[in-house]
Amino acid sequence: MSRQAPIGHRIRGRRKDMGMTQTALAGAAGISPSYLNLIEHNRRAIGGALLLRLAEALQIHPSTLSGSEESRLLSDLGELASDPVFRDAPLDRGEFSGAISAAPAMVNAMLQLYRAYRSALDDVDMLSERLSHDPYLTEASHSILTRITSIRTVAEIFEHYDDLPAAQRDRFNSTLVRESERLAESATEIFSFLERGAAGRPAANPSEEVDDLLYDNANHFPALEDCAETLRGSIDRSGGLFLTDLINHLKSRHKVMVERLRPEELPASGHIWDRENHRLQFSRALPITSARFLAARAVCQLEGSDAVEGIIHSSRLTTDAARTRARQALLSYLAAALLFPYENFATEARELRHDIEMLQQRFAGSWEQICHRLTTLRRPGQEGIPFHFLRTDIAGNISKRFSASGLQLPRYGGACPRWAVHEAYLTPERVVPQLVQLPDATQYLFIARAVRTGTGGYRVPQSVHSVMIGCDTAFARDVVYADGLPLDDISAAVPVGISCRQCPRTDCLQRAHAPAEPATSTIPPPDGARPKPAQPD
């Protein structure tokens, strides 16, 4: 499936709304009318200076033409098409771009229906698991079966014995009524138990709504960047922003007391932020990078909430749960923008060739914090490398995801087992670079590292996550981790997919599910060679 986002319809629609001809727009953008015609029909990609010129001529923000929303729709449609529910009625992926261009609202409605379907499946699995293991439900189920057996026994007696004495018949009648009442009570109790807390379940998954908010804004929020610049100047004009600077600012301006406590005095998170009582407490065992970030978040909550709320109010979030989750994500974004100034960070990243470990030392950040910040460098005219970001736990569950690189990241289920994000667990704290090739012949650079986080001592459980960042190989030579990788040797790239159901490779020994579509080779053959269909195992 093509990775090109079908944004030509936006350009064509905006041009017509302005009453501008193709010739006039092409002249303003410095291209030929024929080339503009190809762009408007989604046959040519745009970016860089051309995107800026078209946006200026159409009097719209460049982010409108970034194609982030269309790319997200293409990605989600690809995952939808790989679901087994469509096995008997496969979808033609070649039609996705046309569908998005012609009927984006219908595509969004279809995706909402699919998300509701997936949510219902998750609920069914959860209830099945609950029915199998919950002690109360096991006992209640046994009680219901006992009542049914008793009622059936009495009914069979009445059916086969017409000459029962009146007293005995009355006794059986009483038993039948009593057991029926108990059966009704047991059924009511079990339904109440299952419905407890489930009433009014939101139609949308809050995490998915927040993911969409980040994708729609290309994970870049100018209002928060501007707010961070203002906050930084009010805290320390030299730009150092050490932990002591943040603590002193919280104390002097907001009367917030910052306390470092023993780990056992705090919850598993390792910190408590009590805004009402002006108190921030965190574990002595927290790394300095985490403590500094917590202090920055506290400052942002006290002084940057207006900027955050402005984004939330203008977004398409539909539930309180989604708004709460988005508020936390945006506060973290603002804290990162405060600690890692855009221009300085972007300049250092380029000069250090995106050496994450060197950026950690330069800006006193953790691996995950630096990777996060690298994905937000999308300021028009000062863009960084378009990275993707993925975080998983050791069970393969995806907890954070964002892609500006064009790589499709799975929304449901796990990622391809060949990705470096999984391999990193074999060598914790070591950086694992990887050159990969997808079935459509696109190549990416992956950089993964498994990191441990803890808030206590020896007996306190630690959390282990693998954090992966990466980009298209077109940018790989600007990334230090590509040094030594055979970028010019196509055969050296690790053959991967997105997920098992979306991957047509039949020669993968780590396949967990059958592909959604019959496998055919999509990798271009060498010049002069005829493509061969993929062979079954």
Side-chain angles (χ1 to χ4, degrees):
M1 182 178 66
S2 172
R3 293 186 299 150
Q4 169 60 23
I7 60 173
H9 68 286
R10 286 195 178 186
I11 296 174
R12 184 171 61 255
R14 175 62 176 172
R15 175 178 60 78
K16 289 184 176 180
D17 289 343
M18 296 177 66
M20 185 182 295
T21 65
Q22 270 192 343
T23 302
L25 178 57
I31 57 177
S32 66
S34 59
Y35 191 77
L36 177 60
N37 185 62
L38 292 174
I39 291 174
E40 290 190 350
H41 286 83
N42 299 308
R43 295 177 184 173
R44 290 294 185 274
I46 63 170
L50 176 55
L51 184 146
L52 294 176
R53 292 198 302 272
L54 282 170
E56 182 180 1
L58 293 171
Q59 300 176 15
I60 54 178
H61 195 276
S63 61
T64 307
L65 300 181
S66 66
S68 60
E69 183 177 359
E70 288 82 358
S71 295
R72 174 175 55 81
L73 292 177
L74 279 174
S75 174
D76 288 351
L77 284 174
E79 196 156 8
L80 176 150
S82 67
D83 194 288
V85 73
F86 296 108
R87 189 177 299 279
D88 295 331
L91 301 176
D92 184 353
R93 297 171 186 247
E95 297 178 351
F96 289 170
S97 292
I100 294 173
S101 298
M106 184 178 295
V107 170
N108 272 305
M110 181 178 180
L111 289 172
Q112 288 180 12
L113 284 174
Y114 179 68
R115 291 180 187 180
Y117 160 75
R118 288 296 306 230
S119 179
L121 284 185
D122 291 342
D123 287 347
V124 169
D125 291 341
M126 178 188 68
L127 290 174
S128 297
E129 186 77 11
R130 196 173 181 184
L131 284 169
S132 301
H133 297 92
D134 191 284
Y136 170 79
L137 290 176
T138 300
E139 183 180 350
S141 299
H142 176 72
S143 174
I144 287 176
L145 290 174
T146 300
R147 308 281 183 243
I148 292 174
T149 301
S150 178
I151 292 171
R152 181 177 178 181
T153 300
V154 173
E156 288 177 348
I157 290 174
F158 281 150
E159 181 181 8
H160 294 100
Y161 299 95
D162 296 331
D163 55 348
L164 290 174
Q168 195 172 14
R169 179 177 290 276
D170 289 343
R171 188 168 62 254
F172 280 131
N173 269 329
S174 298
T175 300
L176 185 63
V177 171
R178 184 176 64 254
E179 293 300 317
S180 297
E181 290 175 347
R182 290 178 177 175
L183 176 61
E185 291 174 359
S186 297
T188 300
E189 289 177 0
I190 199 170
F191 283 125
S192 297
F193 180 82
L194 291 174
E195 292 173 358
R196 191 178 305 145
R201 180 177 59 86
N205 185 310
S207 63
E208 291 180 357
E209 287 201 25
V210 176
D211 282 349
D212 290 346
L213 173 65
L214 298 180
Y215 272 86
D216 290 343
N217 289 275
N219 201 23
H220 178 72
F221 297 90
L224 298 186
E225 298 288 349
D226 293 342
C227 180
E229 290 289 340
T230 302
L231 290 179
R232 191 179 305 108
S234 67
I235 299 172
D236 180 10
R237 294 188 181 278
S238 67
L241 283 194
F242 296 107
L243 176 58
T244 52
D245 297 324
L246 294 165
I247 291 175
N248 291 336
H249 180 77
L250 286 169
K251 182 178 181 180
S252 62
R253 182 160 184 173
H254 301 285
K255 310 303 181 186
V256 172
M257 295 301 299
V258 180
E259 299 177 310
R260 303 180 189 183
L261 305 178
R262 293 192 301 272
E264 58 268 24
E265 299 180 75
L266 293 165
S269 64
H271 75 278
I272 296 176
W273 164 239
D274 187 348
R275 182 170 181 172
E276 291 185 2
N277 295 312
H278 305 280
R279 191 175 299 277
L280 172 63
Q281 301 170 318
F282 55 81
S283 170
R284 295 174 183 171
L286 273 182
I288 191 67
T289 55
S290 299
R292 183 167 170 255
F293 197 83
L294 287 173
R297 271 184 116 258
V299 172
C300 292
Q301 284 182 294
L302 292 168
E303 301 183 42
S305 59
D306 288 346
V308 170
E309 293 302 321
I311 295 172
I312 290 174
H313 290 321
S314 63
S315 67
R316 294 179 291 180
L317 302 170
T318 62
T319 66
D320 289 338
R323 283 185 281 272
T324 298
R325 191 180 185 97
R327 188 173 292 109
Q328 297 306 313
L330 294 175
L331 281 171
S332 293
Y333 181 108
L334 181 55
L338 176 63
L339 296 177
F340 315 130
Y342 192 101
E343 291 189 9
N344 290 348
F345 189 86
T347 300
E348 291 282 349
R350 286 192 300 271
E351 292 180 355
L352 294 172
R353 297 183 60 223
H354 303 87
D355 188 323
I356 299 170
E357 292 154 300
M358 291 295 292
L359 289 169
Q360 284 183 255
Q361 297 178 34
R362 170 66 180 81
F363 291 96
S366 69
W367 173 272
E368 184 172 343
Q369 290 167 7
I370 297 299
C371 289
H372 260 298
R373 188 55 170 150
L374 286 172
T375 68
T376 66
L377 304 181
R378 309 306 304 152
R379 179 180 290 173
Q382 293 180 298
E383 296 97 336
I385 290 177
F387 283 109
H388 55 256
F389 176 95
L390 186 72
R391 190 184 78 171
T392 71
D393 63 21
I394 202 165
N397 299 305
I398 297 173
S399 51
K400 292 183 180 180
R401 57 190 288 275
F402 174 76
S403 179
S405 68
L407 176 70
Q408 178 184 343
L409 298 177
R411 187 187 290 267
Y412 308 103
C416 172
R418 287 180 171 175
W419 285 12
V421 71
H422 306 301
E423 184 182 343
Y425 286 113
L426 301 177
T427 55
E429 303 299 338
R430 287 190 58 187
V431 180
V432 179
Q434 185 186 42
L435 177 64
V436 303
Q437 178 164 290
L438 293 175
D440 64 358
T442 54
Q443 293 187 331
Y444 292 92
L445 171 66
F446 288 172
I447 307 114
R449 183 181 181 184
V451 295
R452 298 179 183 272
T453 56
T455 59
Y458 174 67
R459 290 185 175 85
V460 178
Q462 289 188 326
S463 297
V464 182
H465 292 92
S466 181
V467 176
M468 184 180 82
I469 193 170
C471 62
D472 192 295
T473 51
F475 303 94
R477 299 190 189 280
D478 294 323
V479 181
V480 68
Y481 301 102
D483 292 353
L485 294 179
L487 298 176
D488 297 322
D489 185 359
I490 296 178
S491 63
V494 178
V496 301
I498 302 300
S499 64
C500 285
R501 287 198 173 100
Q502 297 186 71
C503 180
R505 302 186 189 276
T506 58
D507 58 350
C508 178
L509 298 179
Q510 291 191 283
R511 176 176 287 284
H513 304 284
E517 298 177 349
T520 56
S521 177
T522 57
I523 300 175
D527 292 343
R530 297 178 62 186
K532 297 180 180 180
Q535 299 299 317
D537 291 334

